[in-house]
Amino acid sequence: VCGDFAGRIIDRLVRPYYNAALRQLDAQLASADDLDTTLKLGLGYPVGPIALLESTGLAHHYDVTQALFEAWGEPAYAPARRARVAKTLQSRKR
């Protein structure tokens, strides 16, 4: 049982993590493959965050994080640059 709050539990927990991974990719900490491999081997994650976001869609990630950011105003929910770019490109195609 959970309280009646904006945003699904899973999104409120993992979206800041995905944003952090995207921001580190932009900061050139490592390549996307190396970031994913590090989290898979080092933490036992079945899929790395970058691969997961690529399969589910960066534009979708933008939609979810933007809604959470608007609801809560927390910087961790502000859509990462790559998600903003993906959303802009998707909007232009329509």
Side-chain angles (χ1 to χ4, degrees), residues 38-61:
T38 298
L39 289 167
K40 289 190 306 189
L41 296 178
L43 298 176
Y45 288 19
V47 179
I50 306 303
L52 186 62
L53 284 169
E54 287 175 352
S55 70
T56 59
L58 283 170
H60 173 70
H61 176 69

Side-chain angles (χ1 to χ4, degrees), residues 54-79:
E54 287 175 352
S55 70
T56 59
L58 283 170
H60 173 70
H61 176 69
Y62 171 88
D63 292 337
V64 175
T65 54
Q66 183 63 32
L68 288 169
F69 183 65
E70 289 172 8
W72 296 103
E74 294 180 21
Y77 294 128

